[in-house]
Amino acid sequence: MATTTSDVQIDIDAHDAHHGPEKGLLRWVKTTNHKDIGTLYLWFAFTMLLIGGAMAMVIRAELFQPGLQLVEPQFFNQMTTLHGLIMVFGAIMPAFVGLANWQIPLMIGAPDMALPRMNNWSFWILPFAGVMLLSTLFMKGGGPAFGWTFYAPLSTTFAPESTDFFIFAIHMLGFSSIMGAINIIATVMNMRAPDMKLMDMPLFVWTWLITAFLLIAAMPVLAGAVTMMLTDRNFGTSFFDAAGGGDPVMFQHIFWFFGHPEVYIMILPAFGVISQIIPTFARKPLFGYSSMVYATASIALLSFVVWAHHMFLTGMPIAGQMYFMYATIMISVPTGVKVFNWVTTMWRGSLTFETPMLWAIAFVILFTIGGFSGLMLGIAPADIQYHDTYFVVAHFHYVLVTGALFSIIAAVYYWLPKWCGRMYNEKLARIHFWWAVISVNVLFFPQHFLGLAGMPRRIPDYATQFADFNMISSIGGFAFGSSFLLLTYIIVSCIRSGEPIEDERVWESAKGLEWTVATPAPYHTFNEPPQKDKILSESSHVGAH
Amino acid sequence: MSQNLTQEERQRRGARKTALIVAVVAFGIFLFTIYSTYKQ
Amino acid sequence: MLSRRCSVCSADASSNRFIARYTTKFKVKSNAIASWLLISFFFLPLSAFADLGFNLPKGVTPVSQNIYDLHMTIFWVCVGIAVVVFGVMIYSIIFHRKSRGAKASNFHESTAIELIWTLIPLGILIAIAVPATRVLIDLENTDKAEMTVKITGYQWKWQYEYLDNGVKFFSNLSKDSRERSEMGKVGDYPDHYLQDVDNRLVLPVNTRIRFLMTSNDVIHSWWVRDLGVKQDANPGFINDAWATIQKPGVYRGQCAELCGKDHGFMPIVVEAKSKEDYAAWVKEQQAKQKAAAAAGDREWSKDELMVQGQKVYSSTCAGCHGVTGQGIPGTFPAIAGSKIATGDVKEHINIVMNGKAGTAMQAFGAQLSDSDLAAVITYERNAFGNNTGDLVQPATIKAAR
Ligand code: HEM
Ligand SMILES: [Cu+2]
Ligand SMILES: [Cu+2]
């Protein structure tokens, strides 16, 4: 496919000269531009990733050997709690919203997000929420120490005073997510180029649309849960207090009714990213586009009816256990379809292994391993032995770190050259990839063994038979943690001094409307919507007709 | 150009409507969560 | 450091092997082959070293053995699927690469294929669901139990009550584990570090036992792997679980649900004895409890109080207030030099017996006997440099109840 600068782009470039970004710092405070806001989200997420990662280093350092060497148990619990909360709400979710902000308007031929001023709001709430959450560490009695799942009554009657600030931070984070989701739904539903039908949309847009609906349904439930905690703590209600006629297990039902969809909120956009990258480097259209869309939708629907697989041991009646077991393992069917489709997309392609593709392949393999342990965990009687052990820790780190996070890194390598018009250092990027992919397995794979050997999660000290695998895991952890310093260097040096690229397409066989605008992507794009023939010829899922 | 502006304006009007509906749904879910827990 | 215990020597060998595998991996040119090795390597040890701390143990109850079999079945199903899926992927990574001159074909849809790979996994899932359902039903078999033990979780210890014979006691982290787990301690770890207790839960073999779980404060979870029992202990509610232990022995576990600061320090030790030995043990316990009750009716000497007091302090109080009475600044007050422990005796008795609302300080009046309370209060008033010289007698405690 030849790349030509169309009339439209010349027009946009001229336009751009008049309405470029404002100068100075205020540009970032006042901006309503989807690209600026996407950038803000991504830097925020990266900062939180480093902070949450530093906490993980504290955890792994304490667990390096048995005995307490560095931190007291109470502080250790604050670290595990804040690590989880920051990674989920501060790193993974904002990073995907950042990708959505940059990419969705570019991929559907829209000039910007539908509600640009609200977009500014949804971002700027985040830093305040993040700072408030972190500030609890310095309050009397310390920060929240009850796990990212904050089960009552440990998080109500027995929690430190700072918990009220934690609740407020969660409210703000939730507010930001809901506004972001509203914006994405409105953008995708209403702002597409008039000639783009829903089934013409790239998969990244599809998965984000479905994710946005999950957010709309799940985040208010979380907000409800923390609101009830707040009133239980301060206003004498007893939603979750048995002494007052409430039920602590009810808290878990509500939490996981939010929590399980939440984990899919963190993985569906990842599916989208991988579905963009693999066809590009396999030089072949995505296999089974429509089945990918249906699989995503059915995963999303199923995700609302499986929540109690986190609660098999709370004293659920046997019928409940059976139902939640069947529903849970059913999710592996559409999940499997996705994996099969990716593999088949690669089959008889013409593969090259640029950095984004390396990350995508690692994603497919390692995420699938996380899916296997998920399947095992879903078997109710077996979960008796797995629940609340390091086996669960291994499971969710495979799906979230080598799943969600890997896809974000893949996405950044894939689109960064388009965003900033410069190429990253391919050699360093490869070293970074191998460094990270090896260390992450040294870090998390032994945790399966630890869990099976009987080590519970969320403990600061452990029996001596767990010593060896913990030490290996910690060594992997330090190596993986340090790989992010290299990543930081690669990204910063790419933005500041990477080799300039002129080609719109960046990757030889990439398809999609984002590759038809100039490189680097101008401040304003698609003031004129793209036409039907262009939309069709750029769709990565329809063969090269 | 002007035709396109009205086109974009039309789109934005639709988008605001969508956003409003979705926001109301979200708030409804929030209230329902608390209400149904209260009723147990 | 890597080889400290004999039970892990051989585990060591294999961990070294996998580090070696990593290093050679750098030399492997093809990304694909490397990733494949990585996967297959990780799956190997699970089956090959099933009893070296890589895998679940089979356990000593019918339930734990059923779970083990189920676990292995699902595991092998996953390995099978992995081999097929990753195999295809690796194949295309090796043979369908552009550098080998592979030309991309253009197929991108096939309803038949999509249907096949929806239905086959569905079939596999049903095949797993059948045995899983069988084990689940078996597990929830609520046939008549021959004896019942009520288990109550406390921050951070367990209480066991034998409902059939009135035996009742607390089980705390053992003293040497407690001391080794102080911040900054170095040196050898005691045997069964963090998985040892002062009072074991003694149970008879070949007896159908029912456990009732509940909690006094937050949610805990009572877990002994070899029995195949893990069940949450919820405050205000009662859960149950069953076990029939087939082999005498000592089985260790610990709390599995985050329950606050010392969640990692509330182990469980079950000792399974023959029925005769168990009956003898029960007699002994009953006699002990009688003696303890009687002990509350006499005068105690200071030495007696101090010796017993130190025992009670280290099992019950040291978790928060520290082995040396220093507490944790800002979280748990020190006993050494504290206003209460050196001031009015009545206040001291009051806070120990009734706790302090809104804090982790529990009402120990309900947990300890008169003589234990008298002893520990006397100890606190005379240890750690609190040389008040005060004696508290069991009779005083009785009067305060
Ligand atoms: C085939 C798909 C999956 C299945 C069948 C599955 C099943 C399960 C089950 C049964 C548990 C509860 C384990 C326990 O606590 O005993 C669990 C935990 C978890 N899963 Fe998955 N899972 C799947 C995929 C995912 C994905 C895609 C994600 C996220 C991207 C994810 C994230 C998590 C997290 C975060 C937890 C732990 C939550 C906690 O207790 O802190 N899972 N999974
Ligand atoms: Cu789940
Ligand atoms: Cu616990």
Side-chain angles (χ1 to χ4, degrees), chain A residues 255-299:
Chain A
F255 180 85
W256 287 115
F257 189 82
F258 145 79
H260 188 82
E262 167 67 19
V263 305
Y264 282 92
I265 286 164
M266 293 187 279
I267 204 67
L268 295 186
F271 291 167
V273 167
I274 301 305
S275 303
Q276 300 300 132
I277 293 177
I278 289 185
T280 295
F281 300 101
R283 292 169 179 71
K284 205 167 145 262
L286 183 70
F287 186 83
Y289 168 85
S290 47
S291 81
M292 287 298 233
V293 173
Y294 298 134
T296 310
S298 49
I299 290 174

Side-chain angles (χ1 to χ4, degrees), chain C residues 156 158 219-221 255-260 262-264 266:
Chain C
W156 291 275
W158 299 99
I219 301 175
H220 304 266
S221 190
C255 179
E257 180 66 58
L258 178 63
C259 54
D262 275 356
H263 163 55
M266 50 185 294

Side-chain angles (χ1 to χ4, degrees), chain A residues 105-175:
Chain A
L106 284 179
M107 293 171 103
I108 61 175
D112 203 315
M113 296 294 280
L115 306 143
R117 277 182 297 263
M118 189 171 85
N119 207 10
N120 173 291
W121 261 92
S122 24
F123 172 76
W124 277 108
I125 289 179
L126 275 183
F128 293 96
V131 168
M132 177 169 302
L133 189 57
L134 287 171
S135 71
T136 58
L137 275 178
F138 306 100
M139 293 179 188
K140 189 170 156 274
F146 30 64
W148 83 279
T149 51
F150 51 99
Y151 283 4
L154 190 58
S155 62
T156 52
T157 324
F158 295 82
E161 284 161 34
S162 64
T163 306
D164 295 328
F165 289 90
F166 151 84
I167 291 174
F168 192 41
I170 296 289
H171 268 135
M172 293 207 291
L173 291 164
F175 223 77

Side-chain angles (χ1 to χ4, degrees), chain C residues 229-288:
Chain C
V229 175
K230 186 190 286 151
Q231 186 71 60
D232 286 0
N234 298 322
F237 294 83
I238 292 187
N239 281 331
D240 45 19
W242 286 261
T244 309
I245 306 173
Q246 294 169 321
K247 225 171 85 189
V250 177
Y251 307 109
R252 290 166 199 277
Q254 58 192 101
C255 179
E257 180 66 58
L258 178 63
C259 54
K261 175 178 90 72
D262 275 356
H263 163 55
F265 305 88
M266 50 185 294
I268 298 161
V269 180
V270 171
E271 185 174 353
K273 297 187 174 204
S274 70
K275 287 188 181 173
E276 301 77 54
D277 290 354
Y278 170 73
W281 177 84
V282 169
K283 280 235 170 65
E284 194 186 308
Q285 293 303 305
Q286 285 168 330
K288 253 198 209 159

Side-chain angles (χ1 to χ4, degrees), chain A residues 66 68 283-284 288 291 313 326 329 341 344 348 350-351 384-388 442 452 461 467-468 471, chain C residues 1-2 4 22 31 71 96 98 102 104-105 108 114 117 125 133 184 189 193 225 230-232 239 256-257:
Chain A
L68 294 179
R283 292 169 179 71
K284 205 167 145 262
S291 81
L313 303 179
Y326 301 143
I329 59 181
N341 281 340
T344 312
R348 292 214 279 122
S350 172
L351 299 170
I384 290 178
Q385 301 288 33
Y386 310 142
H387 180 67
D388 269 334
V442 180
L452 295 175
D461 192 3
D468 300 291
M471 188 178 283
Chain C
M1 212 52 202
L2 272 173
R4 185 172 30 252
Y22 274 132
N31 306 336
H71 160 72
H96 300 153
K98 193 177 177 205
S105 40
H108 54 87
E114 301 279 358
W117 66 40
L125 287 184
T133 307
Y189 301 97
Y193 176 58
R225 247 170 5 136
K230 186 190 286 151
Q231 186 71 60
D232 286 0
N239 281 331
E257 180 66 58

